[in-house]
Amino acid sequence: MPGNESIAREFAFATAADLGGPDRYTAWCAAAGLPAVDGGYGLIMATDAFGRHVTRLTTDVEYLRTLVVGSKVSNGLLANLEVPAGIFTQERDGWPDEWAEH
């Protein structure tokens, strides 16, 4: 839930540009059970205070891009960055590759 502290482990972008076009973005949203929104989603795969995998989502994709640039990473890892709750207002149990298991 928003407000819970979590530690970032990896990041991803789910936008039409990042996924290879609007059809792929719409398909990703459907598979993830999320509404397609203008601009897409920024995702942070994190661990919560209990060590569980959680994915924090934001529709403020540019904010996440700024975090990534600011932490100077290109390998998908965020070096234990603390995830601010106010920007990442949606949370899903697990990481995207685990969602089919839930």
Coordinates of all heavy atoms in Angstrom, one line a residue:
M1 N 0.8 -1.2 0.0 CA 0.0 0.0 0.0 C 0.9 1.2 0.0 O 1.9 1.2 0.6 CB -0.9 0.0 1.3 CG -2.0 -1.0 1.3 SD -3.2 -0.3 0.1 CE -4.3 -1.6 0.1
P2 N 0.4 2.3 -0.6 CA 1.1 3.6 -0.6 C 1.4 3.9 0.9 O 0.5 3.8 1.7 CB 0.3 4.6 -1.3 CG -0.5 3.7 -2.2 CD -0.8 2.4 -1.5
G3 N 2.6 4.5 1.2 CA 2.9 4.8 2.5 C 3.9 3.8 3.1 O 4.6 4.1 4.1
N4 N 3.8 2.5 2.7 CA 4.8 1.5 3.1 C 6.1 1.8 2.5 O 6.2 2.1 1.3 CB 4.3 0.1 2.7 CG 3.1 -0.3 3.5 OD1 2.7 0.3 4.5 ND2 2.4 -1.3 3.0
E5 N 7.1 1.7 3.3 CA 8.5 1.9 2.7 C 8.9 0.6 2.0 O 8.6 -0.5 2.4 CB 9.5 2.2 3.8 CG 9.2 3.6 4.4 CD 10.3 4.0 5.3 OE1 11.4 3.5 5.3 OE2 10.0 4.9 6.2
S6 N 9.6 0.8 0.9 CA 10.1 -0.3 0.1 C 11.4 0.1 -0.5 O 11.7 1.3 -0.6 CB 9.1 -0.8 -1.0 OG 8.8 0.3 -1.8
I7 N 12.3 -0.8 -0.8 CA 13.6 -0.6 -1.3 C 13.6 -1.0 -2.8 O 13.3 -2.2 -3.1 CB 14.7 -1.3 -0.6 CG1 14.7 -0.9 0.9 CG2 16.1 -1.1 -1.2 CD1 15.0 0.5 1.2
A8 N 14.0 -0.1 -3.7 CA 14.0 -0.4 -5.1 C 15.1 -1.3 -5.5 O 16.2 -1.2 -4.9 CB 14.1 0.9 -5.9
R9 N 14.8 -2.2 -6.4 CA 15.8 -3.2 -6.8 C 16.0 -3.0 -8.3 O 17.1 -3.1 -8.8 CB 15.3 -4.6 -6.5 CG 15.1 -4.9 -5.1 CD 16.4 -4.7 -4.3 NE 16.1 -5.0 -2.9 CZ 16.9 -4.7 -1.9 NH1 18.0 -4.0 -2.1 NH2 16.6 -4.9 -0.6
E10 N 14.9 -2.9 -9.1 CA 15.0 -2.7 -10.6 C 13.9 -1.8 -11.0 O 13.0 -1.5 -10.3 CB 14.8 -4.1 -11.3 CG 15.8 -5.1 -10.9 CD 15.6 -6.4 -11.6 OE1 15.3 -6.4 -12.8 OE2 15.7 -7.5 -11.0
F11 N 14.0 -1.3 -12.3 CA 13.0 -0.5 -12.8 C 12.7 -0.9 -14.3 O 13.4 -1.6 -14.9 CB 13.5 1.0 -12.9 CG 14.7 1.2 -13.8 CD1 14.4 1.6 -15.1 CD2 15.9 1.1 -13.3 CE1 15.5 1.8 -16.0 CE2 17.0 1.3 -14.2 CZ 16.8 1.6 -15.5
A12 N 11.5 -0.4 -14.7 CA 11.1 -0.7 -16.1 C 10.1 0.4 -16.5 O 9.5 1.1 -15.7 CB 10.5 -2.1 -16.2
F13 N 9.9 0.5 -17.8 CA 8.9 1.4 -18.3 C 8.0 0.7 -19.2 O 8.3 -0.1 -20.0 CB 9.6 2.5 -19.2 CG 10.6 3.3 -18.3 CD1 12.0 3.1 -18.4 CD2 10.2 4.3 -17.5 CE1 12.9 3.8 -17.6 CE2 11.1 5.0 -16.7 CZ 12.4 4.8 -16.8
A14 N 6.7 0.9 -19.0 CA 5.6 0.4 -19.8 C 4.9 1.5 -20.5 O 3.9 2.1 -20.0 CB 4.7 -0.4 -19.0
T15 N 5.5 1.9 -21.6 CA 4.9 2.9 -22.5 C 4.9 2.4 -23.9 O 5.6 1.4 -24.2 CB 5.8 4.2 -22.5 OG1 7.0 4.0 -23.1 CG2 6.1 4.7 -21.0
A16 N 4.1 3.0 -24.7 CA 4.0 2.6 -26.1 C 5.4 2.7 -26.8 O 5.8 1.7 -27.5 CB 3.0 3.5 -26.9
A17 N 6.2 3.7 -26.5 CA 7.5 3.8 -27.1 C 8.5 2.7 -26.6 O 9.2 2.2 -27.3 CB 8.1 5.2 -26.8
D18 N 8.4 2.5 -25.3 CA 9.3 1.5 -24.7 C 8.9 0.0 -25.0 O 9.8 -0.8 -25.0 CB 9.4 1.7 -23.2 CG 10.1 2.9 -22.8 OD1 11.3 3.0 -23.1 OD2 9.4 3.8 -22.2
L19 N 7.7 -0.2 -25.3 CA 7.2 -1.6 -25.6 C 7.1 -1.9 -27.1 O 6.7 -3.0 -27.5 CB 5.9 -1.9 -24.9 CG 6.0 -1.9 -23.4 CD1 4.6 -2.0 -22.8 CD2 6.9 -3.0 -22.9
G20 N 7.4 -0.9 -27.9 CA 7.4 -1.1 -29.4 C 6.1 -0.8 -30.1 O 5.8 -1.3 -31.2
G21 N 5.3 0.1 -29.5 CA 4.1 0.6 -30.2 C 2.9 0.5 -29.3 O 2.8 -0.2 -28.3
P22 N 1.8 1.2 -29.8 CA 0.6 1.3 -29.0 C -0.1 -0.1 -28.8 O -0.7 -0.4 -27.8 CB -0.3 2.3 -29.7 CG 0.3 2.5 -31.0 CD 1.8 2.1 -30.9
D23 N 0.0 -0.9 -29.8 CA -0.7 -2.3 -29.7 C 0.0 -3.1 -28.6 O -0.7 -3.8 -27.9 CB -0.7 -3.0 -31.1 CG -1.6 -2.3 -32.1 OD1 -2.5 -1.6 -31.7 OD2 -1.3 -2.6 -33.3
R24 N 1.3 -3.1 -28.6 CA 2.0 -3.8 -27.6 C 1.8 -3.2 -26.2 O 1.7 -4.0 -25.2 CB 3.5 -3.9 -27.9 CG 3.8 -4.8 -29.0 CD 5.3 -4.9 -29.2 NE 5.6 -5.8 -30.3 CZ 6.8 -6.1 -30.7 NH1 7.8 -5.6 -30.1 NH2 7.0 -7.0 -31.7
Y25 N 1.7 -1.9 -26.1 CA 1.4 -1.3 -24.8 C 0.0 -1.7 -24.3 O -0.1 -2.1 -23.2 CB 1.6 0.2 -24.9 CG 1.0 1.0 -23.7 CD1 1.6 0.8 -22.5 CD2 -0.1 1.7 -23.8 CE1 1.1 1.5 -21.4 CE2 -0.6 2.4 -22.7 CZ 0.0 2.3 -21.5 OH -0.5 2.9 -20.4
T26 N -1.0 -1.6 -25.2 CA -2.3 -2.0 -24.8 C -2.4 -3.5 -24.4 O -3.1 -3.8 -23.4 CB -3.3 -1.7 -26.0 OG1 -3.2 -0.3 -26.3 CG2 -4.7 -2.0 -25.6
A27 N -1.7 -4.3 -25.1 CA -1.6 -5.7 -24.8 C -1.0 -5.9 -23.4 O -1.4 -6.7 -22.6 CB -0.9 -6.5 -25.8
W28 N 0.1 -5.2 -23.1 CA 0.8 -5.3 -21.8 C -0.2 -4.9 -20.7 O -0.3 -5.6 -19.7 CB 2.0 -4.4 -21.8 CG 2.8 -4.6 -20.5 CD1 3.7 -5.5 -20.2 CD2 2.6 -3.8 -19.3 NE1 4.1 -5.3 -18.9 CE2 3.4 -4.3 -18.3 CE3 1.7 -2.7 -19.0 CZ2 3.5 -3.7 -17.0 CZ3 1.8 -2.2 -17.7 CH2 2.7 -2.7 -16.7
C29 N -0.9 -3.8 -20.9 CA -1.8 -3.3 -19.9 C -2.9 -4.3 -19.6 O -3.2 -4.6 -18.5 CB -2.5 -2.0 -20.3 SG -1.3 -0.6 -20.3
A30 N -3.4 -4.9 -20.7 CA -4.5 -6.0 -20.5 C -3.9 -7.2 -19.7 O -4.6 -7.7 -18.8 CB -5.0 -6.4 -21.9
A31 N -2.7 -7.6 -20.1 CA -2.1 -8.8 -19.4 C -1.8 -8.4 -17.9 O -1.9 -9.3 -17.1 CB -0.9 -9.2 -20.1
A32 N -1.5 -7.2 -17.7 CA -1.2 -6.8 -16.3 C -2.4 -6.4 -15.5 O -2.3 -6.1 -14.3 CB -0.2 -5.6 -16.3
G33 N -3.6 -6.3 -16.2 CA -4.8 -5.9 -15.5 C -4.8 -4.5 -15.1 O -5.4 -4.1 -14.1
L34 N -4.2 -3.6 -15.9 CA -4.1 -2.2 -15.7 C -4.8 -1.5 -16.8 O -4.7 -1.9 -18.0 CB -2.7 -1.7 -15.6 CG -1.9 -2.3 -14.4 CD1 -0.4 -2.0 -14.6 CD2 -2.4 -1.6 -13.1
P35 N -5.4 -0.3 -16.6 CA -6.0 0.4 -17.7 C -4.9 1.1 -18.5 O -3.9 1.5 -17.9 CB -6.9 1.5 -17.0 CG -6.2 1.6 -15.6 CD -5.7 0.3 -15.3
A36 N -5.0 1.2 -19.8 CA -4.1 1.9 -20.6 C -4.3 3.4 -20.3 O -5.4 3.9 -20.4 CB -4.3 1.6 -22.1
V37 N -3.2 4.1 -19.9 CA -3.3 5.5 -19.7 C -2.3 6.3 -20.6 O -1.3 5.7 -21.0 CB -2.9 5.8 -18.2 CG1 -4.0 5.2 -17.3 CG2 -1.5 5.4 -17.8
D38 N -2.6 7.5 -20.9 CA -1.7 8.3 -21.7 C -0.4 8.4 -21.0 O -0.3 8.7 -19.8 CB -2.3 9.7 -22.0 CG -3.5 9.7 -22.9 OD1 -3.7 8.7 -23.6 OD2 -4.3 10.7 -22.8
G39 N 0.7 8.2 -21.8 CA 2.0 8.3 -21.2 C 2.5 7.0 -20.6 O 3.7 6.9 -20.3
G40 N 1.7 6.1 -20.3 CA 2.1 4.8 -19.8 C 2.5 4.8 -18.3 O 2.0 5.6 -17.5
Y41 N 3.3 3.8 -17.9 CA 3.6 3.6 -16.5 C 5.1 3.5 -16.3 O 5.8 3.0 -17.2 CB 3.0 2.2 -16.0 CG 1.5 2.2 -16.0 CD1 0.8 1.7 -17.0 CD2 0.8 2.7 -14.8 CE1 -0.6 1.7 -17.0 CE2 -0.5 2.6 -14.8 CZ -1.3 2.1 -15.9 OH -2.6 2.1 -15.8
G42 N 5.6 3.9 -15.2 CA 6.9 3.6 -14.7 C 6.8 2.6 -13.6 O 5.9 2.8 -12.7
L43 N 7.6 1.6 -13.6 CA 7.6 0.5 -12.6 C 8.9 0.5 -11.8 O 9.9 0.5 -12.4 CB 7.3 -0.8 -13.3 CG 6.0 -1.1 -14.0 CD1 6.0 -0.4 -15.4 CD2 5.8 -2.5 -14.1
I44 N 8.7 0.3 -10.5 CA 9.9 0.0 -9.7 C 9.6 -1.4 -9.0 O 8.6 -1.5 -8.4 CB 10.2 1.1 -8.7 CG1 10.7 2.3 -9.3 CG2 11.2 0.5 -7.6 CD1 11.1 3.4 -8.4
M45 N 10.4 -2.3 -9.3 CA 10.4 -3.6 -8.6 C 11.2 -3.4 -7.3 O 12.3 -3.1 -7.4 CB 10.9 -4.7 -9.5 CG 10.0 -5.2 -10.6 SD 9.6 -3.9 -11.9 CE 11.1 -4.0 -12.8
A46 N 10.5 -3.7 -6.2 CA 11.1 -3.4 -4.9 C 10.9 -4.6 -4.0 O 10.1 -5.5 -4.3 CB 10.4 -2.1 -4.3
T47 N 11.5 -4.5 -2.8 CA 11.2 -5.4 -1.7 C 10.6 -4.5 -0.6 O 11.1 -3.4 -0.3 CB 12.4 -6.2 -1.2 OG1 13.5 -5.3 -1.0 CG2 12.9 -7.2 -2.3
D48 N 9.6 -5.1 0.1 CA 9.0 -4.3 1.2 C 9.8 -4.6 2.5 O 10.8 -5.4 2.5 CB 7.5 -4.6 1.3 CG 7.1 -6.0 1.7 OD1 8.0 -6.7 2.2 OD2 5.9 -6.3 1.6
A49 N 9.3 -4.1 3.6 CA 10.0 -4.3 4.9 C 10.0 -5.7 5.3 O 10.9 -6.1 6.2 CB 9.2 -3.4 5.9
F50 N 9.2 -6.6 4.7 CA 9.2 -8.0 5.1 C 9.9 -8.8 4.0 O 9.9 -10.1 4.1 CB 7.8 -8.5 5.2 CG 7.0 -7.7 6.2 CD1 6.1 -6.7 5.8 CD2 7.2 -7.9 7.6 CE1 5.4 -6.0 6.8 CE2 6.5 -7.2 8.5 CZ 5.6 -6.2 8.1
G51 N 10.6 -8.2 3.1 CA 11.3 -8.9 2.0 C 10.5 -9.4 0.9 O 11.0 -10.1 0.0
R52 N 9.2 -9.1 0.9 CA 8.3 -9.5 -0.2 C 8.6 -8.7 -1.5 O 8.8 -7.5 -1.4 CB 6.9 -9.4 0.2 CG 6.5 -10.4 1.3 CD 5.1 -10.2 1.7 NE 4.9 -8.8 2.2 CZ 4.1 -8.5 3.2 NH1 3.4 -9.5 3.8 NH2 4.0 -7.3 3.7
H53 N 8.4 -9.3 -2.6 CA 8.5 -8.6 -3.9 C 7.2 -7.8 -4.1 O 6.1 -8.3 -3.9 CB 8.7 -9.5 -5.1 CG 10.0 -10.1 -5.2 ND1 10.3 -11.1 -6.1 CD2 11.1 -9.9 -4.5 CE1 11.6 -11.5 -5.9 NE2 12.1 -10.8 -4.9
V54 N 7.4 -6.5 -4.4 CA 6.2 -5.6 -4.8 C 6.7 -4.8 -6.0 O 7.8 -4.5 -6.2 CB 5.8 -4.7 -3.6 CG1 5.3 -5.5 -2.5 CG2 6.9 -3.8 -3.2
T55 N 5.7 -4.4 -6.8 CA 5.9 -3.5 -7.9 C 5.2 -2.2 -7.6 O 3.9 -2.2 -7.4 CB 5.5 -4.1 -9.2 OG1 6.2 -5.3 -9.5 CG2 5.7 -3.1 -10.4
R56 N 5.9 -1.1 -7.6 CA 5.3 0.2 -7.4 C 5.1 0.8 -8.7 O 6.1 0.8 -9.5 CB 6.1 1.1 -6.4 CG 6.5 0.4 -5.1 CD 5.3 0.3 -4.1 NE 4.7 1.6 -3.8 CZ 5.1 2.4 -2.8 NH1 6.1 2.1 -2.1 NH2 4.5 3.6 -2.6
L57 N 4.0 1.4 -9.0 CA 3.7 2.0 -10.3 C 3.4 3.5 -10.2 O 2.8 3.9 -9.2 CB 2.5 1.3 -11.0 CG 2.7 -0.2 -11.3 CD1 2.0 -1.0 -10.3 CD2 2.2 -0.5 -12.7
T58 N 3.8 4.2 -11.2 CA 3.5 5.6 -11.3 C 3.1 5.9 -12.8 O 3.6 5.3 -13.7 CB 4.6 6.5 -10.9 OG1 4.2 7.9 -11.0 CG2 5.9 6.3 -11.8
T59 N 2.2 6.9 -12.9 CA 1.9 7.4 -14.3 C 2.8 8.6 -14.6 O 2.8 9.1 -15.7 CB 0.4 7.8 -14.4 OG1 0.1 8.7 -13.4 CG2 -0.5 6.5 -14.3
D60 N 3.6 9.0 -13.6 CA 4.6 10.0 -13.9 C 5.9 9.4 -14.3 O 6.9 9.3 -13.6 CB 4.8 10.8 -12.6 CG 5.6 12.1 -12.8 OD1 6.2 12.2 -13.8 OD2 5.6 12.9 -11.9
V61 N 5.9 8.9 -15.6 CA 7.0 8.2 -16.2 C 8.3 9.1 -16.2 O 9.4 8.6 -15.9 CB 6.7 7.7 -17.6 CG1 7.8 7.1 -18.3 CG2 5.5 6.8 -17.5
E62 N 8.1 10.4 -16.4 CA 9.3 11.2 -16.5 C 10.0 11.4 -15.1 O 11.2 11.5 -15.0 CB 8.9 12.6 -17.1 CG 8.6 12.5 -18.5 CD 9.6 11.8 -19.4 OE1 10.9 12.1 -19.2 OE2 9.3 10.9 -20.1
Y63 N 9.2 11.3 -14.0 CA 9.8 11.3 -12.7 C 10.7 10.1 -12.5 O 11.8 10.2 -12.0 CB 8.7 11.3 -11.6 CG 9.2 11.4 -10.2 CD1 9.6 12.6 -9.6 CD2 9.4 10.2 -9.5 CE1 10.1 12.6 -8.3 CE2 9.9 10.2 -8.2 CZ 10.3 11.5 -7.6 OH 10.8 11.5 -6.4
L64 N 10.2 8.9 -12.9 CA 11.1 7.7 -12.8 C 12.3 7.8 -13.7 O 13.4 7.5 -13.3 CB 10.3 6.5 -13.1 CG 11.1 5.2 -13.0 CD1 11.8 5.0 -11.6 CD2 10.2 4.0 -13.3
R65 N 12.1 8.3 -14.9 CA 13.3 8.5 -15.8 C 14.3 9.5 -15.1 O 15.5 9.2 -15.2 CB 12.9 9.1 -17.1 CG 12.1 8.1 -18.0 CD 11.9 8.6 -19.4 NE 10.9 7.8 -20.1 CZ 11.0 6.6 -20.7 NH1 12.2 6.0 -20.5 NH2 10.0 6.1 -21.3
T66 N 13.9 10.5 -14.4 CA 14.8 11.4 -13.7 C 15.5 10.7 -12.6 O 16.7 10.9 -12.4 CB 14.0 12.6 -13.2 OG1 13.4 13.3 -14.3 CG2 14.9 13.6 -12.5
L67 N 14.8 9.8 -11.9 CA 15.4 9.1 -10.8 C 16.5 8.2 -11.4 O 17.6 8.1 -10.8 CB 14.4 8.2 -10.1 CG 13.4 8.8 -9.1 CD1 12.5 7.7 -8.5 CD2 14.2 9.5 -8.0
V68 N 16.2 7.5 -12.5 CA 17.1 6.6 -13.1 C 18.4 7.4 -13.5 O 19.5 6.9 -13.2 CB 16.5 5.9 -14.3 CG1 17.6 5.1 -15.1 CG2 15.4 4.9 -13.8
V69 N 18.2 8.5 -14.2 CA 19.4 9.3 -14.6 C 20.1 9.8 -13.4 O 21.4 9.8 -13.3 CB 18.9 10.5 -15.5 CG1 20.1 11.5 -15.7 CG2 18.4 10.0 -16.8
G70 N 19.4 10.2 -12.4 CA 20.0 10.8 -11.2 C 20.9 9.7 -10.4 O 21.9 10.0 -9.8
S71 N 20.4 8.5 -10.5 CA 21.2 7.4 -9.8 C 22.2 6.8 -10.8 O 22.9 5.9 -10.4 CB 20.2 6.3 -9.3 OG 19.5 5.8 -10.3
K72 N 22.3 7.3 -12.0 CA 23.3 6.9 -13.0 C 23.4 5.4 -13.2 O 24.5 4.8 -13.1 CB 24.7 7.5 -12.6 CG 24.7 9.0 -12.6 CD 26.1 9.5 -12.2 CE 26.3 11.0 -12.3 NZ 25.3 11.8 -11.8
V73 N 22.3 4.8 -13.5 CA 22.2 3.4 -13.7 C 21.7 3.1 -15.1 O 20.9 3.8 -15.7 CB 21.4 2.6 -12.7 CG1 21.9 2.8 -11.3 CG2 19.9 3.1 -12.8
S74 N 22.2 2.1 -15.7 CA 21.7 1.6 -17.0 C 21.4 0.2 -17.1 O 20.9 -0.4 -18.0 CB 22.8 2.0 -18.1 OG 24.0 1.3 -17.9
N75 N 21.8 -0.5 -16.0 CA 21.6 -2.0 -15.9 C 20.3 -2.5 -15.3 O 20.1 -3.6 -15.1 CB 22.8 -2.6 -15.1 CG 22.8 -2.1 -13.7 OD1 22.0 -1.3 -13.3 ND2 23.8 -2.6 -13.0
G76 N 19.4 -1.6 -15.1 CA 18.1 -2.0 -14.5 C 18.0 -2.0 -13.0 O 17.0 -2.3 -12.4
L77 N 19.2 -1.8 -12.3 CA 19.2 -1.8 -10.9 C 19.2 -0.4 -10.3 O 19.8 0.5 -10.9 CB 20.5 -2.6 -10.4 CG 20.6 -4.0 -11.0 CD1 21.9 -4.6 -10.5 CD2 19.4 -4.9 -10.6
L78 N 18.6 -0.3 -9.2 CA 18.5 1.1 -8.6 C 19.3 1.2 -7.2 O 19.1 2.1 -6.5 CB 17.1 1.5 -8.4 CG 16.3 1.8 -9.6 CD1 14.9 2.1 -9.4 CD2 17.0 3.0 -10.3
A79 N 20.2 0.3 -6.9 CA 21.1 0.4 -5.8 C 20.4 0.8 -4.5 O 20.8 1.8 -3.9 CB 22.2 1.3 -6.1
N80 N 19.3 0.1 -4.1 CA 18.7 0.3 -2.8 C 18.0 1.7 -2.6 O 17.9 2.2 -1.5 CB 19.6 0.0 -1.7 CG 20.1 -1.4 -1.7 OD1 19.3 -2.3 -2.0 ND2 21.3 -1.6 -1.3
L81 N 17.6 2.3 -3.7 CA 16.9 3.6 -3.7 C 15.6 3.5 -2.9 O 14.9 2.5 -3.1 CB 16.6 4.1 -5.1 CG 15.9 5.4 -5.3 CD1 16.8 6.5 -5.0 CD2 15.4 5.5 -6.7
E82 N 15.4 4.4 -2.0 CA 14.1 4.4 -1.3 C 13.0 4.9 -2.2 O 13.2 6.0 -2.8 CB 14.2 5.2 0.0 CG 13.0 5.0 1.0 CD 13.3 5.5 2.3 OE1 14.4 5.3 2.9 OE2 12.4 6.2 2.8
V83 N 11.9 4.2 -2.2 CA 10.8 4.6 -3.1 C 9.8 5.5 -2.4 O 9.2 5.2 -1.4 CB 10.0 3.3 -3.6 CG1 8.9 3.6 -4.5 CG2 11.0 2.3 -4.2
P84 N 9.6 6.8 -3.0 CA 8.7 7.7 -2.4 C 7.2 7.2 -2.6 O 6.9 6.9 -3.8 CB 9.0 9.0 -3.0 CG 9.7 8.6 -4.3 CD 10.3 7.3 -4.1
A85 N 6.4 7.2 -1.6 CA 5.1 6.7 -1.7 C 4.1 7.7 -2.5 O 3.3 7.2 -3.2 CB 4.5 6.4 -0.4
G86 N 4.3 9.0 -2.4 CA 3.4 9.9 -3.0 C 3.4 9.9 -4.5 O 2.4 10.2 -5.1
I87 N 4.5 9.5 -5.2 CA 4.6 9.5 -6.6 C 4.1 8.1 -7.1 O 3.4 8.0 -8.2 CB 6.0 9.8 -7.1 CG1 6.4 11.2 -6.6 CG2 6.1 9.6 -8.6 CD1 5.7 12.3 -7.3
F88 N 4.5 7.1 -6.4 CA 4.2 5.7 -6.9 C 2.9 5.3 -6.1 O 3.0 4.6 -5.0 CB 5.4 4.8 -6.6 CG 6.6 5.2 -7.4 CD1 7.5 6.1 -7.0 CD2 6.8 4.6 -8.7 CE1 8.5 6.5 -7.8 CE2 7.8 4.9 -9.5 CZ 8.7 5.9 -9.0
T89 N 1.8 5.6 -6.7 CA 0.5 5.5 -5.9 C -0.1 4.1 -6.1 O -1.1 3.9 -5.4 CB -0.4 6.6 -6.4 OG1 -0.6 6.5 -7.8 CG2 0.1 8.0 -6.0
Q90 N 0.4 3.3 -7.0 CA -0.2 2.0 -7.2 C 0.8 0.9 -6.8 O 2.0 1.1 -7.0 CB -0.6 1.8 -8.6 CG -1.7 2.8 -9.1 CD -2.1 2.5 -10.5 OE1 -2.4 1.4 -10.9 NE2 -2.0 3.6 -11.3
E91 N 0.3 -0.1 -6.2 CA 1.2 -1.2 -5.8 C 0.6 -2.5 -6.2 O -0.6 -2.7 -6.0 CB 1.5 -1.2 -4.3 CG 2.5 -2.2 -3.9 CD 2.8 -2.1 -2.4 OE1 3.4 -1.1 -2.0 OE2 2.4 -3.0 -1.6
R92 N 1.4 -3.4 -6.7 CA 1.0 -4.8 -7.0 C 1.9 -5.8 -6.3 O 3.1 -5.5 -6.2 CB 1.1 -5.1 -8.5 CG 0.3 -4.2 -9.5 CD -1.0 -4.7 -9.9 NE -1.1 -6.1 -10.2 CZ -1.2 -6.7 -11.4 NH1 -1.2 -5.9 -12.4 NH2 -1.3 -8.0 -11.5
D93 N 1.3 -6.9 -5.8 CA 2.1 -7.9 -5.2 C 3.0 -8.5 -6.3 O 2.6 -8.7 -7.4 CB 1.3 -9.0 -4.6 CG 0.5 -8.5 -3.3 OD1 1.0 -7.6 -2.7 OD2 -0.5 -9.1 -3.0
G94 N 4.2 -8.9 -5.9 CA 5.1 -9.5 -6.9 C 5.7 -8.6 -7.9 O 5.4 -7.4 -7.9
W95 N 6.6 -9.1 -8.7 CA 7.2 -8.4 -9.8 C 6.5 -8.8 -11.1 O 5.9 -9.9 -11.1 CB 8.7 -8.6 -9.9 CG 9.5 -8.0 -8.7 CD1 9.0 -7.2 -7.8 CD2 10.8 -8.2 -8.4 NE1 9.9 -6.8 -6.9 CE2 11.1 -7.5 -7.2 CE3 11.8 -9.0 -8.9 CZ2 12.4 -7.5 -6.6 CZ3 13.1 -9.0 -8.3 CH2 13.3 -8.2 -7.2
P96 N 6.6 -8.1 -12.1 CA 5.8 -8.4 -13.4 C 5.9 -9.9 -13.8 O 5.0 -10.5 -14.2 CB 6.3 -7.4 -14.4 CG 6.6 -6.2 -13.6 CD 7.3 -6.8 -12.3
D97 N 7.1 -10.4 -13.7 CA 7.3 -11.8 -14.2 C 6.7 -12.8 -13.2 O 6.5 -14.0 -13.5 CB 8.8 -12.2 -14.4 CG 9.6 -12.0 -13.1 OD1 9.2 -11.3 -12.2 OD2 10.6 -12.7 -13.0
E98 N 6.2 -12.4 -12.1 CA 5.5 -13.2 -11.1 C 4.0 -13.0 -11.1 O 3.3 -13.8 -10.4 CB 6.1 -12.9 -9.7 CG 7.5 -13.1 -9.5 CD 8.1 -12.5 -8.2 OE1 7.4 -11.6 -7.6 OE2 9.2 -12.9 -7.8
W99 N 3.5 -12.0 -11.8 CA 2.1 -11.7 -11.7 C 1.2 -12.9 -12.2 O 0.1 -13.0 -11.6 CB 1.8 -10.4 -12.5 CG 2.3 -9.2 -11.8 CD1 2.8 -9.1 -10.5 CD2 2.4 -7.9 -12.4 NE1 3.1 -7.8 -10.3 CE2 2.9 -7.0 -11.4 CE3 2.1 -7.4 -13.6 CZ2 3.1 -5.7 -11.6 CZ3 2.3 -6.0 -13.9 CH2 2.8 -5.2 -12.9
A100 N 1.6 -13.6 -13.1 CA 0.8 -14.8 -13.6 C 0.7 -15.8 -12.5 O -0.3 -16.6 -12.5 CB 1.4 -15.4 -14.8
E101 N 1.6 -15.8 -11.6 CA 1.5 -16.8 -10.5 C 0.5 -16.5 -9.4 O 0.2 -17.3 -8.6 CB 2.9 -17.0 -9.8 CG 4.0 -17.4 -10.8 CD 5.4 -17.3 -10.3 OE1 5.6 -17.0 -9.0 OE2 6.3 -17.4 -11.0
H102 N 0.1 -15.2 -9.3 CA -0.8 -14.7 -8.2 C -2.2 -14.9 -8.6 O -2.7 -14.8 -9.6 CB -0.5 -13.2 -7.9 CG 0.8 -13.0 -7.3 ND1 1.0 -13.1 -5.9 CD2 2.1 -12.7 -7.8 CE1 2.3 -12.9 -5.7 NE2 2.9 -12.6 -6.8

